[in-house]
Amino acid sequence: MTASVTEKPDFTGLRAMYINCTLNRSPGRSHTQGVIDRSVAIMEKNGVSVDQIRAVDHDIATGVRPDMTEHGVATDEWPALLPRVLAADILVIGGPIWLGDNSSVTKRVIERLYGYSGVLNEHGQYAYYGRVAGCLLTGNEDGLKHCSMNILYSLQHIGFSVPPQADAGWLGEVGPGPSYLDEGSGGPENDFTNRNLAFMTYNLLHLASMIRRSGGFPAYGNQRTAWDAGCDPDHANPEYR
């Protein structure tokens, strides 16, 4: 019998990874972390295992290769961080808005994720297939939708699945003023932000759970290995491609 669409699913066994792309190193306060904490609380309440990385605390080299030490860079912690990302069913990128755009740390993390996107999984699909993604943002200026579009486009382009309403954030009064965690900001109490944050979190859980129950993202018609072997089901695969 099919369960009701409003019946609470069982999300236990899912794993989520949050990457905080704040510019502030630990233990400095991160307003982005304040928003992340609310989403994490929902995840953990539903039995989801959560891992977190504050990217700026790590020596993540600039580049678009899985390991930049193989391309002339002296040190690179990204190869040690990537397995933690790959272990998760859900990836959430959180970050601040500066000059109406994503932080430099956010852009670096997405570039490094992109560097692994050509690797194939056990089904011959691109590596991030079967994982879902969303984003959280904070700032004191406009740009939330622009930044969300940039992050979510990038993540779906490299293979992540994006559910409905997969972004949320908080914007304070434009210009100098209190940030999300500052006293009197109104951020943690903001109903619009809290509603969108809850919807985003649950939509990530729903889609990840659906994919898990299906045994992964279907592999018919999207296998790089099959395409390269000339086995595309609908189109010719010319030698000169």
Side-chain angles (χ1 to χ4, degrees), residues 20-24 30-32 93-106 136-141 147 151 171:
N20 183 351
C21 297
T22 176
L23 302 184
N24 299 319
S30 163
H31 298 285
T32 299
I93 300 291
I97 300 171
W98 293 110
L99 299 173
D101 206 348
N102 287 303
S103 76
S104 57
V105 179
T106 303
L136 293 167
L137 294 155
T138 56
N140 290 100
E141 54 193 281
C147 293
I151 294 171
L171 296 177

mmCIF file with all atom_site columns, all heavy atoms in Angstrom, residues 20-24 30-32 93-106 136-141 147 151 171:
data_model
loop_
_atom_site.group_PDB
_atom_site.id
_atom_site.type_symbol
_atom_site.label_atom_id
_atom_site.label_alt_id
_atom_site.label_comp_id
_atom_site.label_asym_id
_atom_site.label_entity_id
_atom_site.label_seq_id
_atom_site.pdbx_PDB_ins_code
_atom_site.Cartn_x
_atom_site.Cartn_y
_atom_site.Cartn_z
_atom_site.occupancy
_atom_site.B_iso_or_equiv
_atom_site.pdbx_formal_charge
_atom_site.auth_seq_id
_atom_site.auth_comp_id
_atom_site.auth_asym_id
_atom_site.auth_atom_id
_atom_site.pdbx_PDB_model_num
ATOM 1   N N   . ASN A 1 20  ? 30.605 25.116 5.123  1.00 0.00 ? 20  ASN A N   1
ATOM 2   C CA  . ASN A 1 20  ? 30.445 26.526 5.441  1.00 0.00 ? 20  ASN A CA  1
ATOM 3   C C   . ASN A 1 20  ? 31.562 27.303 4.766  1.00 0.00 ? 20  ASN A C   1
ATOM 4   O O   . ASN A 1 20  ? 32.743 27.107 5.066  1.00 0.00 ? 20  ASN A O   1
ATOM 5   C CB  . ASN A 1 20  ? 30.488 26.720 6.961  1.00 0.00 ? 20  ASN A CB  1
ATOM 6   C CG  . ASN A 1 20  ? 30.241 28.166 7.371  1.00 0.00 ? 20  ASN A CG  1
ATOM 7   O OD1 . ASN A 1 20  ? 30.205 29.074 6.543  1.00 0.00 ? 20  ASN A OD1 1
ATOM 8   N ND2 . ASN A 1 20  ? 30.084 28.390 8.662  1.00 0.00 ? 20  ASN A ND2 1
ATOM 9   N N   . CYS A 1 21  ? 31.190 28.204 3.864  1.00 0.00 ? 21  CYS A N   1
ATOM 10  C CA  . CYS A 1 21  ? 32.166 28.962 3.085  1.00 0.00 ? 21  CYS A CA  1
ATOM 11  C C   . CYS A 1 21  ? 32.326 30.387 3.599  1.00 0.00 ? 21  CYS A C   1
ATOM 12  O O   . CYS A 1 21  ? 32.602 31.321 2.833  1.00 0.00 ? 21  CYS A O   1
ATOM 13  C CB  . CYS A 1 21  ? 31.771 28.945 1.608  1.00 0.00 ? 21  CYS A CB  1
ATOM 14  S SG  . CYS A 1 21  ? 31.775 27.303 0.882  1.00 0.00 ? 21  CYS A SG  1
ATOM 15  N N   . THR A 1 22  ? 32.162 30.563 4.906  1.00 0.00 ? 22  THR A N   1
ATOM 16  C CA  . THR A 1 22  ? 32.439 31.838 5.544  1.00 0.00 ? 22  THR A CA  1
ATOM 17  C C   . THR A 1 22  ? 33.892 32.238 5.314  1.00 0.00 ? 22  THR A C   1
ATOM 18  O O   . THR A 1 22  ? 34.751 31.388 5.063  1.00 0.00 ? 22  THR A O   1
ATOM 19  C CB  . THR A 1 22  ? 32.177 31.744 7.060  1.00 0.00 ? 22  THR A CB  1
ATOM 20  O OG1 . THR A 1 22  ? 32.531 32.980 7.691  1.00 0.00 ? 22  THR A OG1 1
ATOM 21  C CG2 . THR A 1 22  ? 32.987 30.623 7.693  1.00 0.00 ? 22  THR A CG2 1
ATOM 22  N N   . LEU A 1 23  ? 34.180 33.525 5.442  1.00 0.00 ? 23  LEU A N   1
ATOM 23  C CA  . LEU A 1 23  ? 35.556 33.996 5.365  1.00 0.00 ? 23  LEU A CA  1
ATOM 24  C C   . LEU A 1 23  ? 36.234 33.982 6.732  1.00 0.00 ? 23  LEU A C   1
ATOM 25  O O   . LEU A 1 23  ? 37.437 34.248 6.819  1.00 0.00 ? 23  LEU A O   1
ATOM 26  C CB  . LEU A 1 23  ? 35.597 35.421 4.796  1.00 0.00 ? 23  LEU A CB  1
ATOM 27  C CG  . LEU A 1 23  ? 34.986 35.624 3.398  1.00 0.00 ? 23  LEU A CG  1
ATOM 28  C CD1 . LEU A 1 23  ? 35.190 37.073 2.954  1.00 0.00 ? 23  LEU A CD1 1
ATOM 29  C CD2 . LEU A 1 23  ? 35.568 34.665 2.381  1.00 0.00 ? 23  LEU A CD2 1
ATOM 30  N N   . ASN A 1 24  ? 35.469 33.679 7.791  1.00 0.00 ? 24  ASN A N   1
ATOM 31  C CA  . ASN A 1 24  ? 35.995 33.726 9.151  1.00 0.00 ? 24  ASN A CA  1
ATOM 32  C C   . ASN A 1 24  ? 36.500 32.352 9.598  1.00 0.00 ? 24  ASN A C   1
ATOM 33  O O   . ASN A 1 24  ? 35.742 31.383 9.621  1.00 0.00 ? 24  ASN A O   1
ATOM 34  C CB  . ASN A 1 24  ? 34.911 34.197 10.123 1.00 0.00 ? 24  ASN A CB  1
ATOM 35  C CG  . ASN A 1 24  ? 34.420 35.588 9.801  1.00 0.00 ? 24  ASN A CG  1
ATOM 36  O OD1 . ASN A 1 24  ? 35.209 36.471 9.464  1.00 0.00 ? 24  ASN A OD1 1
ATOM 37  N ND2 . ASN A 1 24  ? 33.113 35.798 9.895  1.00 0.00 ? 24  ASN A ND2 1
ATOM 38  N N   . SER A 1 30  ? 30.554 32.862 12.890 1.00 0.00 ? 30  SER A N   1
ATOM 39  C CA  . SER A 1 30  ? 30.083 32.826 11.512 1.00 0.00 ? 30  SER A CA  1
ATOM 40  C C   . SER A 1 30  ? 28.568 32.933 11.509 1.00 0.00 ? 30  SER A C   1
ATOM 41  O O   . SER A 1 30  ? 27.878 32.077 12.055 1.00 0.00 ? 30  SER A O   1
ATOM 42  C CB  . SER A 1 30  ? 30.519 31.520 10.831 1.00 0.00 ? 30  SER A CB  1
ATOM 43  O OG  . SER A 1 30  ? 29.759 31.286 9.661  1.00 0.00 ? 30  SER A OG  1
ATOM 44  N N   . HIS A 1 31  ? 28.058 33.996 10.899 1.00 0.00 ? 31  HIS A N   1
ATOM 45  C CA  . HIS A 1 31  ? 26.608 34.148 10.797 1.00 0.00 ? 31  HIS A CA  1
ATOM 46  C C   . HIS A 1 31  ? 26.017 33.061 9.895  1.00 0.00 ? 31  HIS A C   1
ATOM 47  O O   . HIS A 1 31  ? 24.898 32.593 10.118 1.00 0.00 ? 31  HIS A O   1
ATOM 48  C CB  . HIS A 1 31  ? 26.265 35.545 10.279 1.00 0.00 ? 31  HIS A CB  1
ATOM 49  C CG  . HIS A 1 31  ? 26.725 36.630 11.200 1.00 0.00 ? 31  HIS A CG  1
ATOM 50  N ND1 . HIS A 1 31  ? 26.088 36.918 12.379 1.00 0.00 ? 31  HIS A ND1 1
ATOM 51  C CD2 . HIS A 1 31  ? 27.785 37.481 11.121 1.00 0.00 ? 31  HIS A CD2 1
ATOM 52  C CE1 . HIS A 1 31  ? 26.718 37.906 12.997 1.00 0.00 ? 31  HIS A CE1 1
ATOM 53  N NE2 . HIS A 1 31  ? 27.755 38.273 12.250 1.00 0.00 ? 31  HIS A NE2 1
ATOM 54  N N   . THR A 1 32  ? 26.777 32.661 8.891  1.00 0.00 ? 32  THR A N   1
ATOM 55  C CA  . THR A 1 32  ? 26.340 31.550 8.041  1.00 0.00 ? 32  THR A CA  1
ATOM 56  C C   . THR A 1 32  ? 26.149 30.294 8.880  1.00 0.00 ? 32  THR A C   1
ATOM 57  O O   . THR A 1 32  ? 25.205 29.522 8.671  1.00 0.00 ? 32  THR A O   1
ATOM 58  C CB  . THR A 1 32  ? 27.366 31.298 6.927  1.00 0.00 ? 32  THR A CB  1
ATOM 59  O OG1 . THR A 1 32  ? 27.481 32.465 6.111  1.00 0.00 ? 32  THR A OG1 1
ATOM 60  C CG2 . THR A 1 32  ? 26.946 30.127 6.058  1.00 0.00 ? 32  THR A CG2 1
ATOM 61  N N   . ILE A 1 93  ? 25.771 23.732 0.590  1.00 0.00 ? 93  ILE A N   1
ATOM 62  C CA  . ILE A 1 93  ? 26.793 24.774 0.560  1.00 0.00 ? 93  ILE A CA  1
ATOM 63  C C   . ILE A 1 93  ? 26.226 25.999 1.249  1.00 0.00 ? 93  ILE A C   1
ATOM 64  O O   . ILE A 1 93  ? 25.173 26.517 0.862  1.00 0.00 ? 93  ILE A O   1
ATOM 65  C CB  . ILE A 1 93  ? 27.192 25.139 -0.881 1.00 0.00 ? 93  ILE A CB  1
ATOM 66  C CG1 . ILE A 1 93  ? 27.748 23.920 -1.630 1.00 0.00 ? 93  ILE A CG1 1
ATOM 67  C CG2 . ILE A 1 93  ? 28.200 26.289 -0.883 1.00 0.00 ? 93  ILE A CG2 1
ATOM 68  C CD1 . ILE A 1 93  ? 29.083 23.443 -1.143 1.00 0.00 ? 93  ILE A CD1 1
ATOM 69  N N   . GLY A 1 94  ? 26.893 26.463 2.288  1.00 0.00 ? 94  GLY A N   1
ATOM 70  C CA  . GLY A 1 94  ? 26.478 27.680 2.976  1.00 0.00 ? 94  GLY A CA  1
ATOM 71  C C   . GLY A 1 94  ? 27.540 28.745 2.823  1.00 0.00 ? 94  GLY A C   1
ATOM 72  O O   . GLY A 1 94  ? 28.733 28.441 2.814  1.00 0.00 ? 94  GLY A O   1
ATOM 73  N N   . GLY A 1 95  ? 27.110 30.003 2.721  1.00 0.00 ? 95  GLY A N   1
ATOM 74  C CA  . GLY A 1 95  ? 28.107 31.048 2.578  1.00 0.00 ? 95  GLY A CA  1
ATOM 75  C C   . GLY A 1 95  ? 27.529 32.443 2.688  1.00 0.00 ? 95  GLY A C   1
ATOM 76  O O   . GLY A 1 95  ? 26.313 32.634 2.645  1.00 0.00 ? 95  GLY A O   1
ATOM 77  N N   . PRO A 1 96  ? 28.407 33.437 2.801  1.00 0.00 ? 96  PRO A N   1
ATOM 78  C CA  . PRO A 1 96  ? 27.985 34.832 2.868  1.00 0.00 ? 96  PRO A CA  1
ATOM 79  C C   . PRO A 1 96  ? 27.871 35.458 1.483  1.00 0.00 ? 96  PRO A C   1
ATOM 80  O O   . PRO A 1 96  ? 28.376 34.903 0.503  1.00 0.00 ? 96  PRO A O   1
ATOM 81  C CB  . PRO A 1 96  ? 29.126 35.481 3.655  1.00 0.00 ? 96  PRO A CB  1
ATOM 82  C CG  . PRO A 1 96  ? 30.337 34.715 3.202  1.00 0.00 ? 96  PRO A CG  1
ATOM 83  C CD  . PRO A 1 96  ? 29.867 33.290 3.000  1.00 0.00 ? 96  PRO A CD  1
ATOM 84  N N   . ILE A 1 97  ? 27.219 36.584 1.455  1.00 0.00 ? 97  ILE A N   1
ATOM 85  C CA  . ILE A 1 97  ? 27.125 37.385 0.228  1.00 0.00 ? 97  ILE A CA  1
ATOM 86  C C   . ILE A 1 97  ? 27.994 38.624 0.407  1.00 0.00 ? 97  ILE A C   1
ATOM 87  O O   . ILE A 1 97  ? 27.841 39.378 1.369  1.00 0.00 ? 97  ILE A O   1
ATOM 88  C CB  . ILE A 1 97  ? 25.667 37.807 -0.044 1.00 0.00 ? 97  ILE A CB  1
ATOM 89  C CG1 . ILE A 1 97  ? 24.777 36.573 -0.214 1.00 0.00 ? 97  ILE A CG1 1
ATOM 90  C CG2 . ILE A 1 97  ? 25.586 38.697 -1.281 1.00 0.00 ? 97  ILE A CG2 1
ATOM 91  C CD1 . ILE A 1 97  ? 23.294 36.896 -0.260 1.00 0.00 ? 97  ILE A CD1 1
ATOM 92  N N   . TRP A 1 98  ? 28.924 38.829 -0.519 1.00 0.00 ? 98  TRP A N   1
ATOM 93  C CA  . TRP A 1 98  ? 29.759 40.023 -0.522 1.00 0.00 ? 98  TRP A CA  1
ATOM 94  C C   . TRP A 1 98  ? 29.696 40.664 -1.901 1.00 0.00 ? 98  TRP A C   1
ATOM 95  O O   . TRP A 1 98  ? 29.860 39.986 -2.906 1.00 0.00 ? 98  TRP A O   1
ATOM 96  C CB  . TRP A 1 98  ? 31.219 39.682 -0.179 1.00 0.00 ? 98  TRP A CB  1
ATOM 97  C CG  . TRP A 1 98  ? 31.399 39.215 1.238  1.00 0.00 ? 98  TRP A CG  1
ATOM 98  C CD1 . TRP A 1 98  ? 31.707 37.961 1.668  1.00 0.00 ? 98  TRP A CD1 1
ATOM 99  C CD2 . TRP A 1 98  ? 31.277 40.016 2.416  1.00 0.00 ? 98  TRP A CD2 1
ATOM 100 N NE1 . TRP A 1 98  ? 31.776 37.924 3.034  1.00 0.00 ? 98  TRP A NE1 1
ATOM 101 C CE2 . TRP A 1 98  ? 31.519 39.171 3.525  1.00 0.00 ? 98  TRP A CE2 1
ATOM 102 C CE3 . TRP A 1 98  ? 30.978 41.370 2.646  1.00 0.00 ? 98  TRP A CE3 1
ATOM 103 C CZ2 . TRP A 1 98  ? 31.473 39.629 4.840  1.00 0.00 ? 98  TRP A CZ2 1
ATOM 104 C CZ3 . TRP A 1 98  ? 30.942 41.835 3.952  1.00 0.00 ? 98  TRP A CZ3 1
ATOM 105 C CH2 . TRP A 1 98  ? 31.193 40.965 5.040  1.00 0.00 ? 98  TRP A CH2 1
ATOM 106 N N   . LEU A 1 99  ? 29.429 41.974 -1.938 1.00 0.00 ? 99  LEU A N   1
ATOM 107 C CA  . LEU A 1 99  ? 29.310 42.700 -3.204 1.00 0.00 ? 99  LEU A CA  1
ATOM 108 C C   . LEU A 1 99  ? 28.275 42.048 -4.109 1.00 0.00 ? 99  LEU A C   1
ATOM 109 O O   . LEU A 1 99  ? 28.421 42.014 -5.329 1.00 0.00 ? 99  LEU A O   1
ATOM 110 C CB  . LEU A 1 99  ? 30.667 42.787 -3.916 1.00 0.00 ? 99  LEU A CB  1
ATOM 111 C CG  . LEU A 1 99  ? 31.765 43.536 -3.138 1.00 0.00 ? 99  LEU A CG  1
ATOM 112 C CD1 . LEU A 1 99  ? 33.101 43.409 -3.861 1.00 0.00 ? 99  LEU A CD1 1
ATOM 113 C CD2 . LEU A 1 99  ? 31.383 45.001 -2.967 1.00 0.00 ? 99  LEU A CD2 1
ATOM 114 N N   . GLY A 1 100 ? 27.221 41.502 -3.490 1.00 0.00 ? 100 GLY A N   1
ATOM 115 C CA  . GLY A 1 100 ? 26.140 40.897 -4.256 1.00 0.00 ? 100 GLY A CA  1
ATOM 116 C C   . GLY A 1 100 ? 26.472 39.549 -4.859 1.00 0.00 ? 100 GLY A C   1
ATOM 117 O O   . GLY A 1 100 ? 25.738 39.050 -5.713 1.00 0.00 ? 100 GLY A O   1
ATOM 118 N N   . ASP A 1 101 ? 27.572 38.929 -4.418 1.00 0.00 ? 101 ASP A N   1
ATOM 119 C CA  . ASP A 1 101 ? 27.998 37.676 -5.037 1.00 0.00 ? 101 ASP A CA  1
ATOM 120 C C   . ASP A 1 101 ? 28.464 36.700 -3.954 1.00 0.00 ? 101 ASP A C   1
ATOM 121 O O   . ASP A 1 101 ? 28.604 37.053 -2.786 1.00 0.00 ? 101 ASP A O   1
ATOM 122 C CB  . ASP A 1 101 ? 29.145 37.950 -6.022 1.00 0.00 ? 101 ASP A CB  1
ATOM 123 C CG  . ASP A 1 101 ? 29.229 36.916 -7.135 1.00 0.00 ? 101 ASP A CG  1
ATOM 124 O OD1 . ASP A 1 101 ? 28.561 35.870 -7.039 1.00 0.00 ? 101 ASP A OD1 1
ATOM 125 O OD2 . ASP A 1 101 ? 29.962 37.166 -8.104 1.00 0.00 ? 101 ASP A OD2 1
ATOM 126 N N   . ASN A 1 102 ? 28.698 35.454 -4.362 1.00 0.00 ? 102 ASN A N   1
ATOM 127 C CA  . ASN A 1 102 ? 29.201 34.446 -3.450 1.00 0.00 ? 102 ASN A CA  1
ATOM 128 C C   . ASN A 1 102 ? 30.628 34.768 -3.023 1.00 0.00 ? 102 ASN A C   1
ATOM 129 O O   . ASN A 1 102 ? 31.382 35.424 -3.746 1.00 0.00 ? 102 ASN A O   1
ATOM 130 C CB  . ASN A 1 102 ? 29.167 33.068 -4.114 1.00 0.00 ? 102 ASN A CB  1
ATOM 131 C CG  . ASN A 1 102 ? 27.768 32.520 -4.227 1.00 0.00 ? 102 ASN A CG  1
ATOM 132 O OD1 . ASN A 1 102 ? 27.058 32.380 -3.223 1.00 0.00 ? 102 ASN A OD1 1
ATOM 133 N ND2 . ASN A 1 102 ? 27.342 32.198 -5.442 1.00 0.00 ? 102 ASN A ND2 1
ATOM 134 N N   . SER A 1 103 ? 30.994 34.276 -1.854 1.00 0.00 ? 103 SER A N   1
ATOM 135 C CA  . SER A 1 103 ? 32.342 34.513 -1.353 1.00 0.00 ? 103 SER A CA  1
ATOM 136 C C   . SER A 1 103 ? 33.377 33.798 -2.209 1.00 0.00 ? 103 SER A C   1
ATOM 137 O O   . SER A 1 103 ? 33.079 32.831 -2.918 1.00 0.00 ? 103 SER A O   1
ATOM 138 C CB  . SER A 1 103 ? 32.463 34.027 0.096  1.00 0.00 ? 103 SER A CB  1
ATOM 139 O OG  . SER A 1 103 ? 32.553 32.608 0.150  1.00 0.00 ? 103 SER A OG  1
ATOM 140 N N   . SER A 1 104 ? 34.618 34.257 -2.115 1.00 0.00 ? 104 SER A N   1
ATOM 141 C CA  . SER A 1 104 ? 35.706 33.614 -2.837 1.00 0.00 ? 104 SER A CA  1
ATOM 142 C C   . SER A 1 104 ? 35.883 32.168 -2.375 1.00 0.00 ? 104 SER A C   1
ATOM 143 O O   . SER A 1 104 ? 36.260 31.293 -3.166 1.00 0.00 ? 104 SER A O   1
ATOM 144 C CB  . SER A 1 104 ? 37.004 34.393 -2.616 1.00 0.00 ? 104 SER A CB  1
ATOM 145 O OG  . SER A 1 104 ? 37.310 34.497 -1.225 1.00 0.00 ? 104 SER A OG  1
ATOM 146 N N   . VAL A 1 105 ? 35.593 31.894 -1.099 1.00 0.00 ? 105 VAL A N   1
ATOM 147 C CA  . VAL A 1 105 ? 35.707 30.531 -0.582 1.00 0.00 ? 105 VAL A CA  1
ATOM 148 C C   . VAL A 1 105 ? 34.651 29.632 -1.215 1.00 0.00 ? 105 VAL A C   1
ATOM 149 O O   . VAL A 1 105 ? 34.926 28.488 -1.593 1.00 0.00 ? 105 VAL A O   1
ATOM 150 C CB  . VAL A 1 105 ? 35.601 30.527 0.951  1.00 0.00 ? 105 VAL A CB  1
ATOM 151 C CG1 . VAL A 1 105 ? 35.682 29.105 1.494  1.00 0.00 ? 105 VAL A CG1 1
ATOM 152 C CG2 . VAL A 1 105 ? 36.696 31.391 1.572  1.00 0.00 ? 105 VAL A CG2 1
ATOM 153 N N   . THR A 1 106 ? 33.432 30.142 -1.347 1.00 0.00 ? 106 THR A N   1
ATOM 154 C CA  . THR A 1 106 ? 32.367 29.379 -2.011 1.00 0.00 ? 106 THR A CA  1
ATOM 155 C C   . THR A 1 106 ? 32.782 29.007 -3.421 1.00 0.00 ? 106 THR A C   1
ATOM 156 O O   . THR A 1 106 ? 32.635 27.858 -3.858 1.00 0.00 ? 106 THR A O   1
ATOM 157 C CB  . THR A 1 106 ? 31.064 30.196 -2.060 1.00 0.00 ? 106 THR A CB  1
ATOM 158 O OG1 . THR A 1 106 ? 30.677 30.561 -0.732 1.00 0.00 ? 106 THR A OG1 1
ATOM 159 C CG2 . THR A 1 106 ? 29.945 29.407 -2.715 1.00 0.00 ? 106 THR A CG2 1
ATOM 160 N N   . LEU A 1 136 ? 22.512 27.575 1.526  1.00 0.00 ? 136 LEU A N   1
ATOM 161 C CA  . LEU A 1 136 ? 22.084 28.530 2.545  1.00 0.00 ? 136 LEU A CA  1
ATOM 162 C C   . LEU A 1 136 ? 22.971 29.751 2.466  1.00 0.00 ? 136 LEU A C   1
ATOM 163 O O   . LEU A 1 136 ? 24.197 29.623 2.318  1.00 0.00 ? 136 LEU A O   1
ATOM 164 C CB  . LEU A 1 136 ? 22.190 27.900 3.942  1.00 0.00 ? 136 LEU A CB  1
ATOM 165 C CG  . LEU A 1 136 ? 21.230 26.748 4.241  1.00 0.00 ? 136 LEU A CG  1
ATOM 166 C CD1 . LEU A 1 136 ? 21.663 26.029 5.507  1.00 0.00 ? 136 LEU A CD1 1
ATOM 167 C CD2 . LEU A 1 136 ? 19.812 27.269 4.381  1.00 0.00 ? 136 LEU A CD2 1
ATOM 168 N N   . LEU A 1 137 ? 22.378 30.939 2.604  1.00 0.00 ? 137 LEU A N   1
ATOM 169 C CA  . LEU A 1 137 ? 23.136 32.179 2.424  1.00 0.00 ? 137 LEU A CA  1
ATOM 170 C C   . LEU A 1 137 ? 22.769 33.214 3.479  1.00 0.00 ? 137 LEU A C   1
ATOM 171 O O   . LEU A 1 137 ? 21.639 33.227 3.989  1.00 0.00 ? 137 LEU A O   1
ATOM 172 C CB  . LEU A 1 137 ? 22.880 32.757 1.034  1.00 0.00 ? 137 LEU A CB  1
ATOM 173 C CG  . LEU A 1 137 ? 23.402 31.894 -0.120 1.00 0.00 ? 137 LEU A CG  1
ATOM 174 C CD1 . LEU A 1 137 ? 22.624 32.159 -1.389 1.00 0.00 ? 137 LEU A CD1 1
ATOM 175 C CD2 . LEU A 1 137 ? 24.886 32.146 -0.346 1.00 0.00 ? 137 LEU A CD2 1
ATOM 176 N N   . THR A 1 138 ? 23.726 34.072 3.813  1.00 0.00 ? 138 THR A N   1
ATOM 177 C CA  . THR A 1 138 ? 23.473 35.181 4.728  1.00 0.00 ? 138 THR A CA  1
ATOM 178 C C   . THR A 1 138 ? 24.157 36.432 4.198  1.00 0.00 ? 138 THR A C   1
ATOM 179 O O   . THR A 1 138 ? 25.159 36.361 3.480  1.00 0.00 ? 138 THR A O   1
ATOM 180 C CB  . THR A 1 138 ? 24.026 34.902 6.136  1.00 0.00 ? 138 THR A CB  1
ATOM 181 O OG1 . THR A 1 138 ? 25.420 34.598 6.053  1.00 0.00 ? 138 THR A OG1 1
ATOM 182 C CG2 . THR A 1 138 ? 23.300 33.735 6.783  1.00 0.00 ? 138 THR A CG2 1
ATOM 183 N N   . GLY A 1 139 ? 23.605 37.613 4.573  1.00 0.00 ? 139 GLY A N   1
ATOM 184 C CA  . GLY A 1 139 ? 24.238 38.851 4.147  1.00 0.00 ? 139 GLY A CA  1
ATOM 185 C C   . GLY A 1 139 ? 23.475 40.073 4.598  1.00 0.00 ? 139 GLY A C   1
ATOM 186 O O   . GLY A 1 139 ? 22.402 39.976 5.192  1.00 0.00 ? 139 GLY A O   1
ATOM 187 N N   . ASN A 1 140 ? 24.056 41.227 4.312  1.00 0.00 ? 140 ASN A N   1
ATOM 188 C CA  . ASN A 1 140 ? 23.439 42.509 4.610  1.00 0.00 ? 140 ASN A CA  1
ATOM 189 C C   . ASN A 1 140 ? 23.224 43.323 3.334  1.00 0.00 ? 140 ASN A C   1
ATOM 190 O O   . ASN A 1 140 ? 23.305 44.540 3.338  1.00 0.00 ? 140 ASN A O   1
ATOM 191 C CB  . ASN A 1 140 ? 24.315 43.324 5.569  1.00 0.00 ? 140 ASN A CB  1
ATOM 192 C CG  . ASN A 1 140 ? 24.342 42.738 6.957  1.00 0.00 ? 140 ASN A CG  1
ATOM 193 O OD1 . ASN A 1 140 ? 25.285 42.063 7.306  1.00 0.00 ? 140 ASN A OD1 1
ATOM 194 N ND2 . ASN A 1 140 ? 23.318 42.990 7.743  1.00 0.00 ? 140 ASN A ND2 1
ATOM 195 N N   . GLU A 1 141 ? 22.975 42.630 2.242  1.00 0.00 ? 141 GLU A N   1
ATOM 196 C CA  . GLU A 1 141 ? 22.784 43.296 0.962  1.00 0.00 ? 141 GLU A CA  1
ATOM 197 C C   . GLU A 1 141 ? 21.996 42.366 0.051  1.00 0.00 ? 141 GLU A C   1
ATOM 198 O O   . GLU A 1 141 ? 21.766 41.208 0.380  1.00 0.00 ? 141 GLU A O   1
ATOM 199 C CB  . GLU A 1 141 ? 24.141 43.618 0.328  1.00 0.00 ? 141 GLU A CB  1
ATOM 200 C CG  . GLU A 1 141 ? 25.047 42.391 0.206  1.00 0.00 ? 141 GLU A CG  1
ATOM 201 C CD  . GLU A 1 141 ? 26.477 42.758 -0.134 1.00 0.00 ? 141 GLU A CD  1
ATOM 202 O OE1 . GLU A 1 141 ? 26.722 43.033 -1.324 1.00 0.00 ? 141 GLU A OE1 1
ATOM 203 O OE2 . GLU A 1 141 ? 27.331 42.760 0.755  1.00 0.00 ? 141 GLU A OE2 1
ATOM 204 N N   . CYS A 1 147 ? 23.027 34.527 -5.928 1.00 0.00 ? 147 CYS A N   1
ATOM 205 C CA  . CYS A 1 147 ? 24.005 33.589 -5.381 1.00 0.00 ? 147 CYS A CA  1
ATOM 206 C C   . CYS A 1 147 ? 23.456 32.170 -5.363 1.00 0.00 ? 147 CYS A C   1
ATOM 207 O O   . CYS A 1 147 ? 24.180 31.210 -5.668 1.00 0.00 ? 147 CYS A O   1
ATOM 208 C CB  . CYS A 1 147 ? 24.407 34.025 -3.974 1.00 0.00 ? 147 CYS A CB  1
ATOM 209 S SG  . CYS A 1 147 ? 25.342 35.579 -3.926 1.00 0.00 ? 147 CYS A SG  1
ATOM 210 N N   . ILE A 1 151 ? 25.058 28.807 -7.275 1.00 0.00 ? 151 ILE A N   1
ATOM 211 C CA  . ILE A 1 151 ? 25.444 27.580 -6.567 1.00 0.00 ? 151 ILE A CA  1
ATOM 212 C C   . ILE A 1 151 ? 24.650 26.388 -7.075 1.00 0.00 ? 151 ILE A C   1
ATOM 213 O O   . ILE A 1 151 ? 25.216 25.328 -7.396 1.00 0.00 ? 151 ILE A O   1
ATOM 214 C CB  . ILE A 1 151 ? 25.239 27.748 -5.049 1.00 0.00 ? 151 ILE A CB  1
ATOM 215 C CG1 . ILE A 1 151 ? 26.211 28.795 -4.492 1.00 0.00 ? 151 ILE A CG1 1
ATOM 216 C CG2 . ILE A 1 151 ? 25.432 26.408 -4.329 1.00 0.00 ? 151 ILE A CG2 1
ATOM 217 C CD1 . ILE A 1 151 ? 25.935 29.184 -3.053 1.00 0.00 ? 151 ILE A CD1 1
ATOM 218 N N   . LEU A 1 171 ? 18.656 38.024 4.787  1.00 0.00 ? 171 LEU A N   1
ATOM 219 C CA  . LEU A 1 171 ? 19.269 39.288 4.429  1.00 0.00 ? 171 LEU A CA  1
ATOM 220 C C   . LEU A 1 171 ? 18.839 40.341 5.436  1.00 0.00 ? 171 LEU A C   1
ATOM 221 O O   . LEU A 1 171 ? 17.642 40.568 5.639  1.00 0.00 ? 171 LEU A O   1
ATOM 222 C CB  . LEU A 1 171 ? 18.829 39.738 3.026  1.00 0.00 ? 171 LEU A CB  1
ATOM 223 C CG  . LEU A 1 171 ? 19.250 38.855 1.847  1.00 0.00 ? 171 LEU A CG  1
ATOM 224 C CD1 . LEU A 1 171 ? 18.669 39.411 0.560  1.00 0.00 ? 171 LEU A CD1 1
ATOM 225 C CD2 . LEU A 1 171 ? 20.769 38.783 1.756  1.00 0.00 ? 171 LEU A CD2 1
#
